[in-house]
């Protein structure tokens, strides 16, 4: 068995991102496939046991029954995407948001959209949604600059490694830590707080005072680089992790540009959120400053200046768009290895868009018949699918 990887397409240059609700719709479809298979398998097992008992009591007939091979189970699947801006409210968010809080969160977010092919960037205002999530915790953010990774697995499946709830949470953490290390050389880790974190040695190099836990002011010694959330239904997983690839740094206090400035992320007071680009760029600047200081006091044996080390690659000016996709691919490979399957099968973009179109069409039809439960396709979902379908037609004809 292999891991199926469904990556929802997006186009930063056109500010075209899948709505969070559409990703949730795909996840529920995949989850329903696994749950339906488990129901049918349980029914088949019961029927097979009854058939075996009946055959044993009538063994004198000499006949046998071959019900054929059971259908294969749906493969374990990773759903990855970079969504339109969305604040998600966890189950601990018991108090309803006030009208002013809702209005503040839903103010358009001014996002840097970029094209790696033309090396251009623009500031684009994007709509912000507020979504209730089945995960634990309080409020967090998902949107451009992030790679969201949702595995849909049966934790009790005999076709790959099996996991307890705690072991599955550790699987998400370890897969994220390994990906950050292999792709960017970042030494991430876990703490008593949820998520994946990084230490910030560049603050020491730059001469900033680093606070200990609970100490007010100055800069935080640790920062959260990835959020985790888990929801299980009969051992079938939903949600997962979100890695901050290229997002505004913690010192950007403008709420129009920085979504983290609008909330206390996951309810963790005094904690800082960071991103891969932020850590790499800050560490590079601090390292260059340190080397420059050393050059003032050191010369080489031949009298020349000490050479600066090559800084890590930048994720700015469109580079983060490719990085977000690469993070998803690398995370998928790491997950496949850790759950013990043979590899990864990436679903072609044309098939992904076709699946999205089918799901949106079905939801719209059910809602139109009056049999919906309020989960009908939104205008944003329909617009995204229409624009993506148009893009595929244009690219296939060119």
């Amino acid at each position: 068995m292999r891991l199926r990887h469904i990556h929802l397409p997006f186009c930063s240059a056109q500010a075209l991102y899948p709505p969070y609700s559409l990703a949730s719709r795909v996840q529920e479809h995949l989850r329903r496939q696994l749950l339906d298979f488990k129901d049918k398998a349980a029914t088949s097992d019961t029927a097979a046991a009854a058939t075996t008992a009946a055959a044993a009591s009538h063994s004198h007939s000499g006949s046998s029954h071959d019900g054929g091979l059971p259908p294969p189970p749906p493969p374990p699947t990773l759903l990855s995407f970079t969504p339109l801006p969305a604040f998600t409210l966890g189950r601990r968010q018991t108090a309803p948001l006030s009208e002013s809080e809702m209005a503040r969160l839903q103010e358009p977010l001014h996002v840097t959209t970029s094209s790696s092919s033309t090396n251009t960037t623009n500031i684009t205002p994007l709509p912000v949604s507020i979504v209730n999530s089945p995960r634990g915790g309080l409020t967090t953010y998902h949107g451009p600059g992030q790679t969201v990774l949702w595995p849909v697995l049966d934790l009790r499946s005999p076709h790959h490694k099996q996991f307890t709830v705690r072991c599955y949470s550790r699987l998400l953490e370890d897969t994220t830590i390994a990906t950050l290390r292999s792709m960017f050389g970042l030494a991430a880790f876990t703490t008593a707080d949820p998520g994946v974190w990084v230490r910030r040695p560049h603050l020491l190099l730059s001469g900033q005072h680093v606070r200990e836990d609970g100490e007010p002011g100055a800069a935080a010694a640790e920062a959260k680089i990835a959020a985790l959330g888990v929801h299980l239904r009969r051992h079938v997983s939903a949600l997962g992790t979100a890695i901050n690839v290229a997002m505004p740094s913690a010192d950007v206090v403008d709420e129009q540009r920085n979504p983290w400035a609008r909330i206390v992320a996951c309810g963790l007071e005094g904690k800082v959120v960071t991103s891969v680009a932020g850590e790499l760029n800050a560490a590079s600047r601090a390292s260059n400053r340190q080397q420059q200081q050393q050059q003032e006091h050191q010369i080489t044996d031949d009298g020349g200046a000490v050479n600066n080390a090559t800084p890590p690659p930048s994720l700015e000016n469109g580079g983060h768009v490719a990085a977000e996709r690469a993070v998803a691919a690398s995370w998928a490979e790491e997950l496949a290895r850790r759950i013990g399957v043979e590899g990864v099968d990436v679903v072609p973009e044309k098939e992904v868009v076709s699946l999205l179109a089918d799901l949106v069409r079905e939801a719209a039809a059910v809602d139109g018949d009056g049999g919906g439960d309020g989960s009908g396709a939104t205008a944003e979902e329909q617009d995204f699918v229409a624009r993506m379908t148009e893009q595929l037609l244009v690219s296939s004809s060119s």
Side-chain angles (χ1 to χ4, degrees):
M1 180 167 281
R2 296 170 65 85
L3 176 71
R4 175 175 57 180
H5 183 190
I6 297 175
H7 181 71
L8 303 189
F10 71 96
C11 180
S12 175
Q14 297 184 29
L16 181 57
Y17 298 93
Y20 187 91
S21 60
L22 182 57
S24 297
R25 193 178 301 284
V26 178
Q27 175 186 243
E28 185 55 31
H29 168 73
L30 299 171
R31 203 180 195 192
R32 189 71 262 163
Q33 286 182 329
L34 268 176
L35 290 169
D36 287 348
F37 176 84
K38 293 182 73 169
D39 288 341
K40 290 177 181 177
T43 302
S44 298
D45 288 346
T46 302
T51 300
T52 300
S57 64
H58 296 87
S59 59
H60 63 275
S61 66
S63 63
S64 62
H65 173 73
D66 181 9
L69 294 175
T77 302
L78 173 65
L79 175 64
S80 63
F81 61 99
T82 294
L84 276 173
F87 289 101
T88 66
L89 313 180
R91 292 194 307 269
R92 285 175 53 205
Q93 190 83 35
T94 55
L97 297 176
S98 66
E99 288 187 9
S100 61
E101 288 173 324
M102 291 280 287
R104 180 184 174 211
L105 292 183
Q106 290 181 309
E107 279 288 320
L109 189 68
H110 292 244
V111 173
T112 301
T113 55
S114 43
S115 171
S116 54
S117 59
T118 61
N119 200 31
T120 58
T121 60
N122 295 290
I123 303 297
T124 306
L126 294 178
V128 180
S129 61
I130 298 177
V131 183
N132 289 306
S133 173
R135 62 170 173 79
L138 296 172
T139 306
T140 193
Y141 169 81
H142 297 302
Q146 268 187 349
T147 298
V148 183
L149 304 136
W150 287 351
V152 182
L153 313 174
D154 179 1
L155 304 192
R156 298 293 180 86
S157 172
H159 300 285
H160 53 69
K161 290 181 181 178
Q162 299 184 357
F163 300 91
T164 64
V165 176
R166 180 64 193 110
C167 288
Y168 178 67
S169 297
R170 180 57 59 85
L171 170 70
L172 297 177
E173 295 167 347
D174 290 347
T175 303
T176 301
I177 290 169
T179 300
L180 292 172
R181 180 177 61 247
S182 64
M183 287 195 69
F184 306 107
L186 292 174
F189 56 93
T190 59
T191 70
D193 292 315
V196 172
W197 301 73
V198 290
R199 291 190 178 88
R200 318 185 82 194
H202 54 274
L203 297 180
L204 295 174
L205 292 176
S206 64
Q208 294 188 45
H209 169 61
V210 178
R211 71 167 183 250
E212 300 296 332
D213 282 349
E215 181 185 350
E222 299 172 351
K224 190 172 186 175
I225 199 167
L228 274 79
V230 175
H231 184 263
L232 298 173
R233 187 187 304 161
R234 289 164 45 207
H235 308 294
V236 175
S237 65
L239 306 180
T241 187
I243 300 176
N244 301 330
V245 178
M247 306 189 76
S249 60
D251 58 354
V252 177
V253 297
D254 182 359
E255 292 190 2
Q256 284 193 325
R257 292 177 51 209
N258 189 358
W260 306 112
R262 303 185 187 187
I263 61 172
V264 176
C266 300
L268 299 176
E269 291 280 358
K271 301 295 184 179
V272 174
V273 176
T274 189
S275 70
V276 172
E279 291 305 297
L280 292 183
N281 292 338
S284 177
R285 290 193 298 268
S287 178
N288 287 341
R289 282 195 295 269
Q290 185 185 48
Q291 291 175 14
Q292 186 175 5
Q293 292 170 358
Q294 291 173 346
Q295 288 173 7
E296 295 175 356
H297 305 287
Q298 298 178 13
I299 58 172
T300 59
D301 292 340
D302 61 2
V306 177
N307 291 327
N308 285 336
T310 302
S314 173
L315 299 184
E316 298 176 349
N317 298 326
H320 70 88
V321 176
E324 287 160 25
R325 295 187 177 97
V327 164
S330 180
W331 204 92
E333 294 286 349
E334 186 66 31
L335 178 66
R337 186 181 68 80
R338 289 177 179 271
I339 67 175
V341 295
E342 297 174 354
V344 179
D345 290 329
V346 180
V347 178
E349 184 174 292
K350 184 177 181 180
E351 293 182 24
V352 174
V353 174
S354 178
L355 170 63
L356 297 178
D358 288 344
L359 293 176
V360 167
R361 188 163 44 247
E362 290 170 7
V366 171
D367 209 44
D369 291 340
D373 57 0
S375 60
T378 66
E380 286 180 340
E381 292 178 42
Q382 296 181 53
D383 178 66
F384 174 80
V385 169
R387 292 175 64 185
M388 268 300 166
T389 301
E390 182 181 358
Q391 276 202 3
L392 281 178
L393 291 174
V394 171
S395 61
S396 62
S397 61
S398 59

